[in-house]
Amino acid sequence: MSDLTNLHPDVAEIPDPAKLSGPVSTHRPRILLLYGSLRSRSYSRFLTYEAARLLERFGAETRIFDPAGLPLPDGAPTDHPKVHELRQLSEWSEGQVWTSPERHGAMSGVMKAQIDWIPLAVGSIRPTQGRTLAVMQVSGGSQSFNAVNQMRVLGRWMRMITIPNQSSVAKAYQEFDEAGRMKPSSYYDRVVDVMEELVKFTLLTRDVSDYLTDRYSERKEDAAKLEARVNLKAI
């Protein structure tokens, strides 16, 4: 259009519905689960394992990262075994679950450290972009949403597709038995809702995530770099 003088028409593509369908993956959705506590009786870990059981029931393949031994961000080289393990799992995943206790009105440092070790990009690999994300939290007192709200902000920053539903388990010490299994309750039902929704969103987006995250600004930048290289060769 003539009034869009700032737009580069050669890279401003009209979204094509046909590109949102095509070959469908047949392997199980791959979901990575992270939790944010190192306590021996950790309710965020209990909730994470409960979520993993549900995800397996809904047809997903799950892996759970144990944060014990993970160094503080920038406190070790990136080839540290735990850092390497976390980044490999993030690259493997098609969706993720982040579960944190709420401490001092925020997510835990253990949770934040894991997210901080996963960069936005490693060379040409983007370990989180286009992956789905579900967020959950546990609280020692009344129900709160501070931790899940913070993790939503981080999920957006990491270019993830954060699903609408979420779980916040209040007075978590009352919601798990001695074996660490979650008791029947409305909180449990919400966790089921969240895991079911995560699998659905992962199935919906995983095969088209590259197209969903294909951006005008990046195409414009790539076109400019290509033009510069061509002009350099012509000299």
Side-chain angles (χ1 to χ4, degrees):
M1 296 175 64
S2 60
D3 59 338
L4 297 176
T5 57
N6 294 330
L7 190 70
H8 288 237
D10 51 333
V11 292
E13 300 176 356
I14 297 174
D16 183 0
K19 293 183 178 180
L20 294 172
S21 60
V24 177
S25 297
T26 57
H27 64 271
R28 294 190 293 163
R30 299 192 293 257
I31 308 295
L32 168 64
L33 299 95
L34 309 178
Y35 59 90
S37 173
L38 300 178
R39 291 179 175 176
S40 58
R41 187 166 176 80
S42 164
Y43 297 109
S44 63
R45 186 178 74 251
F46 292 162
L47 185 57
T48 295
Y49 274 84
E50 204 69 52
R53 295 182 189 101
L54 290 166
L55 288 167
E56 294 279 348
R57 171 63 177 79
F58 291 135
E61 178 183 0
T62 64
R63 296 184 185 178
I64 300 172
F65 177 73
D66 180 359
L70 182 71
L72 290 173
D74 302 324
T78 56
D79 61 356
H80 185 282
K82 292 296 291 188
V83 176
H84 179 73
E85 177 190 356
L86 175 59
R87 292 185 173 189
Q88 288 293 106
L89 286 172
S90 183
E91 184 180 343
W92 165 86
S93 71
E94 296 169 328
Q96 297 187 16
V97 179
W98 296 351
T99 305
S100 177
E102 182 173 312
R103 291 184 178 172
H104 303 300
M107 77 176 74
S108 69
V110 173
M111 189 75 241
K112 184 63 162 58
Q114 293 173 82
I115 300 170
D116 284 348
W117 269 120
I118 304 174
L120 193 61
V122 180
S124 61
I125 298 173
R126 290 177 170 169
T128 53
Q129 177 169 260
R131 287 157 175 76
T132 52
L133 172 66
V135 293
M136 301 193 295
Q137 74 169 73
V138 294
S139 303
S142 59
Q143 192 173 43
S144 171
F145 301 94
N146 291 323
V148 288
N149 287 340
Q150 285 186 323
M151 289 188 286
R152 282 188 175 277
V153 171
L154 287 170
R156 183 173 68 248
W157 187 259
M158 301 297 283
R159 298 180 175 180
M160 302 179 80
I161 303 169
T162 308
I163 67 171
N165 217 335
Q166 62 187 23
S167 171
S168 175
V169 179
K171 297 182 180 178
Y173 58 89
Q174 297 179 348
E175 300 302 323
F176 295 86
D177 63 22
E178 287 302 313
R181 294 302 304 269
M182 197 170 186
K183 301 174 183 177
S185 69
S186 60
Y187 291 129
Y188 177 81
D189 293 344
R190 174 58 66 90
V191 176
V192 177
D193 289 346
V194 174
M195 294 307 110
E196 181 183 40
E197 187 172 293
L198 177 64
V199 172
K200 289 177 181 178
F201 270 78
T202 304
L203 291 170
L204 180 67
T205 62
R206 66 176 179 175
D207 293 312
V208 293
S209 62
D210 287 344
Y211 182 60
L212 291 173
T213 56
D214 182 32
R215 297 177 177 86
Y216 164 78
S217 60
E218 295 175 354
R219 293 195 300 272
K220 178 183 172 185
E221 182 181 357
D222 290 342
K225 290 179 180 179
L226 176 60
E227 183 179 1
R229 287 199 300 269
V230 171
N231 291 339
L232 183 62
K233 291 180 180 178
I235 296 176

